[in-house]
Amino acid sequence: MSIEVTNISKVYGTQKALNQISFKVSKPEIVGFLGPNGAGKSTMMKILTTYLDATEGEAKVNGHDVKSNTKQVQQSVGYLPEHNPLYLEQYVREYLAFNAQVHGVTKSRIDEVITLTGLTPEAHKKIGQLSKGYRQRVGLANALLHNPDVLILDEPTTGLDPNQLVDIRNLIKSIGKEKTVFLSTHIMQEVEAMCDRVIIINKGEIVANKTLKELRTEKEQVVIVEFDYRVEDAFLLKLPKVKSVKNTHDFIYEITFATTEDMRSHVFDFAHDNALKILQLNQKNASLESLFRELTS
């Protein structure tokens, strides 16, 4: 197992940033780590990369404990933080050569990562002359220098234009064929395009841990209905194949059914039988974005 997290908690003063977090990530796998701002994503990533100590619990990377085997963990991990720390006055090759020396890797590896990350046409320039997309490539090249088994990427596509997004996405997907990639992002389309699995965190706790395949094949649907009067949830729960009922606003209800069959006719019959008028009746498309909103609102 590439990443093993068991009951990790992190407390800052009186604030609990992480609360008994547990999950595993295997190799090769690309896992999206999602959550609203302040949910604890960056804190968890900093613990995995040994930048922070957890208050409680245990975390391992490639079998190495992040507290007692710090050096081995650092050798196993390539890390791209949210704010990519680059020396803008250095040339691309100069910057990578400096870090290659720190990691004790050969100069030939510099050429390898430059080619791998598509930096060849910009390798002769100063980092300060590069676009945001190419600076992200430099950060990825640096993270890959020592050929780690695990890549931890914190918001790797933030601020990129559509063309840069596609380039970085394809690069990460290519890397994920051989390595473990654990990444955070706010862009749901990127998660659906890149990731094998998603872990959603909210207020320091995991609220979902599912593969994209599971999300796409879940046999359920959501029907949004607005009546002219309030209806008790208990009555709506008697509808066939109903899974849950949520009164979202005034007389508007979200009814989740455990089936892909269109259940709007059943809702219509329910309204007719109870002398209710329907003001709106729609299906809600199930998506990662709607799941995210539901779990983190």
Side-chain angles (χ1 to χ4, degrees):
M1 198 63 62
S2 294
I3 298 174
E4 295 180 81
V5 173
T6 307
N7 297 326
I8 285 286
S9 293
K10 179 63 179 177
V11 179
Y12 296 102
T14 58
Q15 181 182 356
K16 185 168 272 191
L18 296 172
N19 184 20
Q20 298 289 300
I21 294 290
S22 297
F23 62 87
K24 295 181 180 180
V25 183
S26 60
K27 176 185 176 182
E29 187 177 21
I30 303 177
V31 174
F33 193 44
L34 313 180
N37 290 331
K41 303 187 300 297
S42 293
T43 297
M44 186 69 251
M45 289 182 155
K46 288 175 181 176
I47 290 171
L48 290 174
T49 52
T50 75
Y51 281 79
L52 277 179
D53 286 333
T55 306
E56 297 176 4
E58 181 182 69
K60 292 182 179 180
V61 178
N62 274 356
H64 304 297
D65 187 274
V66 296
K67 285 186 178 179
S68 57
N69 302 114
T70 302
K71 187 174 181 180
Q72 291 91 331
V73 171
Q74 292 171 350
Q75 290 171 341
S76 300
V77 170
Y79 179 41
L80 179 63
E82 181 179 1
H83 302 292
N84 189 3
L86 300 170
Y87 296 104
L88 302 184
E89 291 303 312
Q90 285 191 324
Y91 290 92
V92 172
R93 283 186 179 276
E94 180 186 9
Y95 174 76
L96 293 175
F98 170 77
N99 284 288
Q101 191 174 15
V102 171
H103 287 297
V105 301
T106 62
K107 289 186 178 180
S108 62
R109 180 61 181 166
I110 298 171
D111 292 322
E112 289 177 14
V113 297
I114 284 175
T115 301
L116 177 64
T117 56
L119 276 169
T120 303
E122 307 292 315
H124 64 287
K125 293 183 179 180
K126 285 187 176 182
I127 294 172
Q129 295 176 297
L130 303 181
S131 67
K132 177 69 183 292
Y134 274 105
R135 291 186 192 186
Q136 287 297 82
R137 289 172 189 258
V138 173
L140 278 171
N142 184 50
L144 290 164
L145 263 177
H146 55 300
N147 199 25
D149 291 320
V150 178
L151 268 185
I152 295 179
L153 313 175
D154 196 354
E155 301 285 352
T157 57
T158 297
L160 303 185
D161 67 34
N163 291 330
Q164 294 167 341
L165 274 174
V166 172
D167 290 342
I168 296 297
R169 176 205 300 165
N170 290 338
L171 175 56
I172 292 171
K173 285 174 70 176
S174 175
I175 293 168
K177 292 177 182 178
E178 297 180 355
K179 300 181 183 295
T180 298
V181 180
F182 187 63
L183 66 91
S184 72
T185 181
H186 285 98
I187 306 172
M188 298 300 152
Q189 296 93 327
E190 292 305 299
V191 175
E192 293 182 297
M194 284 190 290
C195 297
D196 305 303
R197 178 158 57 99
V198 294
I199 297 172
I200 301 177
I201 184 174
N202 188 42
K203 297 178 181 177
E205 298 183 352
I206 290 177
V207 292
N209 185 348
K210 296 186 178 185
T211 66
L212 268 292
K213 187 176 180 181
E214 286 173 331
L215 288 173
R216 288 170 183 147
T217 58
E218 281 187 342
K219 295 187 175 181
E220 66 176 43
Q221 65 168 295
V222 178
V223 171
I224 300 175
V225 59
E226 182 179 3
F227 300 113
D228 59 339
Y229 287 103
R230 183 174 298 280
V231 179
E232 292 295 329
D233 290 1
F235 291 109
L236 292 170
L237 285 167
K238 293 179 180 179
L239 286 164
K241 301 179 182 178
V242 70
K243 187 175 178 181
S244 64
V245 172
K246 182 180 180 182
N247 179 210
T248 59
H249 181 70
D250 290 338
F251 308 146
I252 302 174
Y253 299 83
E254 284 191 5
I255 309 172
T256 302
F257 294 93
T259 178
T260 55
E261 176 192 351
D262 189 343
M263 299 300 288
R264 285 177 293 180
S265 61
H266 294 274
V267 177
F268 182 86
D269 290 341
F270 168 85
H272 178 268
D273 294 342
N274 290 276
L276 293 166
K277 289 182 180 179
I278 290 180
L279 304 181
Q280 66 163 308
L281 181 61
N282 302 300
Q283 280 183 316
K284 181 178 177 182
N285 292 328
S287 67
L288 179 58
E289 187 169 350
S290 62
L291 175 66
F292 180 86
R293 284 200 301 265
E294 179 184 340
L295 294 173
T296 60
S297 60

